[in-house]
Amino acid sequence: MDTESLRKYSALHPKPAGLTLQYGTAGFRTKAEQLDHVMFRMGLLAVLRSKATASTIGIMVTASHNPEEDNGVKLVDPLGEMLHPSWEEYATQLANAEEQELHKAITEICQKGAVNQHNNASVLLGRDTRPSSEKLSQSVIDGISVLGGQYHDYGLVTTPQLHYMVCCQNTQGQYGKATLEGYYEKLSKAFMELLKQCPTSGESQRHLKVDCANGIGALKLSEMEPYLPKEVKIHLYNDGTQEKLNHLCGADFVKVHQKPPRGLDMNPNERCCSFDGDADRIVYYYKDATGHFHLIDGDKIATLISIFLKELLAKVGQTLKMAVIQTAYANGSSTRYLEETLKVPVHCVKTGVKHLHHKAQEFDVGVYFEANGHGTVLFSKAAEAKIRQLAKEEKDEEKRKAAKVLENMIDLINQTVGDAISDMLVIEGVLALKGLTVQQWDAIYTDLPNRLLKVEVADRRVIDTTDAERRAVTPPGLQEKIDALVKKYKLSRAFVRPSGTEDVVRIYAEADTQESADALATEVSLAVYNLAHGKGAPPQP
């Protein structure tokens, strides 16, 4: 390591005095002007991670659904998964090291992280459409270069596309070609094969309105359009030419405010969906004949996909184990439907994509979605090999056809991470094959009314939870209080959990009516405020 060039380059990307940042589930995120030094140092870290794993590592410059003036960065591990937790700590350590300590911090990470200095390093880079992203990307390149790493800059890509490229690169092309064309070709081919199985392939065009959150999703979806079959007509809204990224639009806005995005006119019973700013989340929605807005979130997406996969697995007649992974935020009705009606095992894990992804890997087929619309399906290596073999060799025509559809699903799904474009095509394919309208999909089960609230506290660490965040362990007395409040309402449950990023406690409550859910959420908030040192005025109904 050339200490002199490190010192020289580091001085070009100085760390603002007194600033400390934490690498969380979403990497680093904050105001764009505070991130230059972090980007440079994540370039350094990616080289170290690449040498430690003897693999290509990805770096994505994005702040997803945050406002346009923010930015962020996250690293992608060799198989397209999120950065290993022990390296999240190294990322935090490196980002916060003072200028003169930088060399020492790198040496320490090399020792703790078993970095083989003799290995070559290669990094794949991508960025979203924020005004600050290009310059910040350049800072990453400075970091990669100063430690002698090789890099390939894909420029503007969705977050899931970068994850996909990293996986393709490290599987020597087994997962696919590590180019945008390769991505579009693999997905569109699988999608067209799926649509061929449609009972009414001569059906008129299928229309879908897509709100692209004024982000990267619009660019990439329009690039993909020539690859898609003529039967599917996608209409893009909030394409970034007029308005600001994520402003009053996007999956997060629609999910939180339970209303359509600005800039998209909905006619009754039209299928619409929204991507988030970096296109790794998707939610669907429609207006009924009376003008009432219906949201179809990640829970219902997971349910639709599970129904479809379960039918196919039954047809192929293999004993493949399937499960759905949820967090405590999943609506109680979805859990009940999956377990009791569909008879599919459901596992609850802590909030955060990495926990869901990790649990899903334990099954032959693991379906996971967060309520916010981030999710995918994982197939074990053994299950995938079996399905591909049956699609080729099975004598029974029914079984072979079902295996073929499963094989198309495997190729259409981006197994590295939640991917709005891929998930959208999966959903469109399933609805077409099952001949379902958006209303019929929505009617599979009725969500229990729920309410999300948050309470500001002096220190979020006073709340500690267990049982996948469904029970509070501290402060003493809080869980007993919640249990007593829940007993007052029908079909009710409530839980509290500390935010991962700020000193607030998040409260979730559901019950048989909206009034009850609201009342329960308020009462639980008050208990948190009283027992966990709430700040400001007490919560009001």
Side-chain angles (χ1 to χ4, degrees):
M1 181 167 46
D2 180 349
T3 323
E4 193 41 46
S5 343
L6 180 68
R7 203 179 54 75
K8 203 172 83 195
Y9 265 94
S10 180
L12 298 174
H13 304 283
K15 172 180 170 306
L19 178 71
T20 52
L21 295 168
Q22 174 87 29
Y23 193 102
T25 305
F28 291 110
R29 272 189 208 170
T30 184
K31 294 273 167 280
E33 61 272 12
Q34 297 186 326
L35 280 168
D36 180 54
H37 71 295
V38 173
M39 296 293 172
F40 170 70
R41 292 169 182 205
M42 288 309 103
L44 302 173
L45 190 73
V47 170
L48 302 181
R49 181 69 179 150
S50 176
K51 286 174 183 268
T53 56
S55 306
T56 299
I57 295 297
I59 289 196
M60 184 69 199
V61 177
T62 181
S64 189
H65 55 273
N66 282 34
E68 189 169 273
E69 40 296 345
D70 290 0
N71 217 320
V73 59
K74 46 190 170 187
L75 273 72
V76 180
D77 255 358
L79 290 178
E81 68 279 64
M82 294 164 89
L83 183 63
H84 191 277
S86 59
W87 280 74
E88 288 185 4
E89 288 174 36
Y90 304 156
T92 301
Q93 182 190 345
L94 199 57
N96 295 323
E98 292 306 329
E99 213 71 30
Q100 58 282 9
E101 302 285 317
L102 197 56
H103 187 274
K104 190 173 142 227
I106 291 172
T107 311
E108 245 177 67
I109 291 167
C110 286
Q111 284 164 353
K112 287 199 288 198
V115 174
N116 180 349
Q117 294 288 8
H118 303 296
N119 281 344
N120 291 329
S122 77
V123 181
L124 303 183
L125 187 61
R127 65 175 191 271
D128 71 10
T129 54
R130 291 162 196 273
S132 59
S133 290
E134 193 168 1
K135 189 171 172 297
L136 290 173
S137 230
Q138 202 44 61
S139 308
V140 173
I141 291 172
D142 281 356
I144 297 167
S145 306
V146 80
L147 289 187
Q150 299 291 311
Y151 68 90
H152 178 80
D153 184 3
Y154 282 99
L156 294 164
V157 285
T158 69
T159 297
Q161 283 176 334
L162 186 77
H163 283 256
Y164 175 92
M165 301 304 169
V166 173
C167 186
C168 291
Q169 192 65 37
N170 287 312
T171 56
Q172 285 69 54
Q174 254 182 302
Y175 191 65
K177 280 215 303 270
T179 62
L180 278 170
E181 293 73 46
Y183 172 91
Y184 297 139
E185 278 165 6
K186 180 181 171 182
L187 268 64
S188 57
K189 181 170 172 273
F191 182 58
M192 295 216 242
E193 287 295 318
L194 261 188
L195 288 191
K196 278 183 194 162
Q197 306 297 324
C198 262
T200 51
S201 41
E203 196 201 357
S204 58
Q205 280 193 320
R206 299 180 60 81
H207 290 268
L208 175 67
K209 291 184 169 180
V210 185
D211 154 35
C212 296
N214 290 311
I216 184 72
L219 285 178
K220 299 297 133 179
L221 206 44
S222 53
E223 276 176 17
M224 188 172 188
E225 223 161 343
Y227 294 86
L228 292 173
K230 290 182 289 295
E231 298 95 330
V232 177
K233 192 78 193 94
I234 289 168
H235 307 270
L236 302 187
Y237 295 84
N238 296 322
D239 63 0
T241 50
Q242 255 109 41
E243 285 283 347
K244 275 171 70 166
L245 174 71
N246 294 326
H247 182 58
L248 302 178
C249 61
D252 200 57
F253 172 84
V254 173
K255 168 79 179 144
V256 171
H257 297 280
Q258 307 261 337
K259 63 179 188 188
R262 193 157 105 184
L264 187 150
D265 292 324
M266 293 167 72
N267 299 317
N269 299 327
E270 277 183 334
R271 265 196 328 287
C272 307
C273 68
S274 283
F275 292 4
D276 71 336
D278 64 341
D280 65 356
R281 293 183 188 185
I282 184 169
V283 295
Y284 269 69
Y285 44 92
Y286 69 99
K287 255 188 192 155
D288 62 25
T290 66
H292 183 69
F293 176 81
H294 295 255
L295 175 73
I296 300 179
D297 65 3
D299 298 337
K300 241 173 208 167
I301 294 172
T303 305
L304 177 74
I305 294 171
S306 300
I307 291 171
F308 188 64
L309 291 175
K310 179 152 191 228
E311 285 172 3
L312 290 169
L313 290 169
K315 278 185 193 156
V316 248
Q318 291 296 313
T319 51
L320 295 174
K321 277 176 66 180
M322 174 173 153
V324 178
I325 322 300
Q326 297 185 327
T327 70
Y329 286 113
N331 195 280
S333 290
S334 72
T335 314
R336 209 165 285 135
Y337 177 84
L338 288 163
E339 288 182 333
E340 294 170 15
T341 309
L342 204 56
K343 305 274 189 278
V344 169
V346 177
H347 296 264
C348 186
V349 297
K350 278 166 66 170
T351 305
V353 177
K354 58 185 172 194
H355 303 297
L356 290 145
H357 193 89
H358 193 70
K359 187 71 182 170
Q361 287 171 324
E362 295 176 17
F363 303 92
D364 291 316
V365 182
V367 181
Y368 75 81
F369 270 83
E370 290 190 293
N372 64 26
H374 185 286
T376 187
V377 184
L378 304 185
F379 294 86
S380 71
K381 276 203 170 55
E384 185 172 330
K386 188 79 204 148
I387 288 163
R388 291 196 192 278
Q389 184 199 350
L390 289 168
K392 249 211 309 276
E393 300 166 8
E394 175 57 57
K395 299 281 184 284
D396 180 318
E397 200 194 344
E398 273 297 286
K399 284 185 178 180
R400 193 177 63 249
K401 260 174 85 171
K404 191 79 196 114
V405 174
L406 276 170
E407 185 175 38
N408 297 146
M409 287 291 278
I410 290 171
D411 290 333
L412 185 52
I413 289 162
N414 183 345
Q415 292 187 56
T416 62
V417 72
D419 180 339
I421 293 178
S422 155
D423 288 339
M424 175 190 86
L425 294 174
V426 168
I427 292 162
E428 289 302 304
V430 174
L431 291 175
L433 264 99
K434 289 191 66 62
L436 287 174
T437 63
V438 68
Q439 306 88 301
Q440 289 168 319
W441 172 21
D442 187 32
I444 290 171
Y445 63 80
T446 306
D447 275 326
L448 281 169
N450 56 80
R451 177 64 66 211
L452 276 163
L453 293 175
K454 55 184 184 187
V455 174
E456 268 192 72
V457 291
D459 181 359
R460 65 178 183 271
R461 288 171 303 192
V462 301
I463 301 262
D464 191 21
T465 64
T466 184
D467 186 23
E469 303 178 310
R470 290 176 289 190
R471 317 250 334 141
V473 184
T474 61
L478 178 59
Q479 188 56 53
E480 291 74 7
K481 183 76 182 149
I482 295 171
D483 290 341
L485 292 168
V486 164
K487 281 201 181 103
K488 293 167 52 181
Y489 302 97
K490 283 195 194 124
L491 295 178
S492 63
R493 69 183 179 103
F495 67 90
V496 304
R497 56 179 287 272
S499 155
T501 47
E502 48 190 335
D503 280 322
V504 302
V505 176
R506 303 193 186 282
I507 285 102
Y508 176 87
E510 63 183 32
D512 62 338
T513 66
Q514 193 60 59
E515 295 73 40
S516 295
D518 291 348
L520 178 57
T522 306
E523 289 170 350
V524 171
S525 302
L526 201 55
V528 168
Y529 180 88
N530 291 332
L531 292 168
H533 313 297
K535 283 171 68 175
Q540 297 294 320

